[in-house]
Structures are given as structure tokens and as C-alpha cells.
Amino acid sequence: MATIQTIPHFDIKSGYRPQSEDKTPLADAVDFYRLRQLTNSQRLQLGASLTRWAKIVSLRGMRKANPLAYSKRFAQSILGSKWLPILTPTSDPSMWTQDPSEIARLLHPILETMGIPYYITGGVAATAYGDPRTTRDLDLVIELDRKNISRLVELLEAADFYCPPGSVADIRVARSRVLSVTHITKVLNADLILNTDTDFDRSKMARRRLEALDVAGVEQFWIASPEDVVLAKLLWRQQSQSMKQWTDVLGIIKVQDSQLDFDYLWHWAEILNIANDLDRAFTEAGLFGF
């Protein structure tokens, strides 16, 4: 006989903000109560499923809208115009609907081989710690000496990654610290971001965590801590005013709740001049008194 899950009473505080405008605060609170019952890897799998489904729906829509132009539209929409002369889907489009965690499985052994410390951040990390959502690519921060960029590119290309020569040259002469790579056969993207030599960036690398991407807990990857993801997204939002960054922050706080290191958050929020934003995020996530 099926049992009905008991949902506790929720004291919705003034200022609580749902993740979307069409959801009531109570419905939002119930959703996050359920998300808190999941592990980080289970939330990652939810996000992966959403990403795959979004791609599948997009492909079906393009095929239905114009079957004859489907191949060209696919390449332009999914790959971007720069890939159109090189790559077009020739077989089962399911190969193009993998989620960004697939690229982590390819990059991890390369970085481990070179002894390059790294951590996953961005949308994938926000999904692990907060509200699962779709995300197009993977963001990794790496601790790389620029003089070793040629060796890294050599290993990446041997594993079927495309590394834009211009970006490699810019990194070599310190004009840039971001290398956007694409796996040729899987058509998955990742941004490899060179860590900067600031106290906060060193702290983020030191506090990274080994987390599982699969439910079984077999595959483990380095991911930024939830506190550092919150702080980084608040910093990014200060520049971009992105609502996506804000909802990611609220999602992490709602899920992690009292498990967050509030002393650490306030310490760096004051240093980074984002204390007011952090205070507002606590209010909209329903947390007070920390």
C-alpha cells in the first residue's frame, strides 16, 4: 500500500522569493524541502536529465519545423556558425544531447595526469548544491603555469578536443586566462579558467570538494564549495545584473540552509564588498539571524 509523504509545516518568512514568478512561496518551500532530501549527485542527475530533455525537445522542434533544413539549422543552433563547415549531424542525434558532466569525465584524467588542481564551478556546481537547471557548458578553474599551456593543449587535442589557437596564444602571453575547448565528436564545451593569484581565488581552490557526479558515488570530481559558488555568483551578478546568477544563489542557500559556513560567507562578503547582496539573498531565501 502506497504511503503519503508527510510534508512539515512551513513558516514562510516575509521577503521570501520563489524561484519563478508563477510559483507561490509555499509551493517553492515544499520543492526545496524535497530537494534537501537528495544528495549532491542526485541533484546533478536531475540537472543532467533537464539538459538532455531540453536538447531533445529543441531537436524535435527544428526537425518538425523544416525537415529539409534540419541539418543546417542544427549545426547553427547547437554548434554555432563557426562549426558549420566542419561538423554536421550525420546519424542518430542522441549523440548531441549529452549533458555537460560528460565533458568532466574526459577532462578529469587529463588534468590529473598533469597534476593540475581544478574545480568545477558555474551552473553545474549550482545544480549540485541547489536548484537543478539546464546548463550549456562546463566551467572549470585550473591552477596552471602558463608555460605549461602547450603540454596541456597537446593532451587535450590527443583526446579529440579543439583548442582555438588564438586563445592558446593569448593565454601564453597573459592576454587572457580563459581557454574555451570543444570535444569534436561529442560537441560539448568547457571553459578552462586560469586561477588568479588573489587571496579569495586561493581560498576557493583550497576549499574545493571531491563530489560524485553519478548516483552510485563511483565517479568523483573536484567542485567548488557551496559558499564559494554563492560568493562568486554574487560577484558576477554585481557586474552583469544576471537574474540567473541570483536564482542560482537563492537555490544554493535554500538547499544548503544551516549547513553553510556563515562566518566564512560574511568574512568574504565584507572583503569583496557584496555584504548587502548577501544579506538580501538570505532574506529572499528565508534565512535570518546569521
Side-chain angles (χ1 to χ4, degrees), residues 70-84:
Y70 167 69
S71 179
K72 183 176 180 180
R73 286 191 180 192
F74 178 92
Q76 288 176 324
S77 300
I78 304 300
L79 309 180
S81 58
K82 68 178 181 179
W83 291 102
L84 186 56

Side-chain angles (χ1 to χ4, degrees), residues 77-96:
S77 300
I78 304 300
L79 309 180
S81 58
K82 68 178 181 179
W83 291 102
L84 186 56
I86 306 171
L87 300 170
T88 54
T90 57
S91 58
D92 184 357
S94 64
M95 66 173 288
W96 310 86

Side-chain angles (χ1 to χ4, degrees), residues 65-128:
N66 193 333
L68 294 177
Y70 167 69
S71 179
K72 183 176 180 180
R73 286 191 180 192
F74 178 92
Q76 288 176 324
S77 300
I78 304 300
L79 309 180
S81 58
K82 68 178 181 179
W83 291 102
L84 186 56
I86 306 171
L87 300 170
T88 54
T90 57
S91 58
D92 184 357
S94 64
M95 66 173 288
W96 310 86
T97 59
Q98 299 179 78
D99 67 272
S101 66
E102 292 294 328
I103 204 168
R105 295 180 175 89
L106 299 171
L107 290 170
H108 175 78
I110 295 173
L111 298 174
E112 290 287 295
T113 296
M114 286 193 64
I116 297 174
Y118 78 90
Y119 61 78
I120 295 169
T121 186
V124 173
T127 289

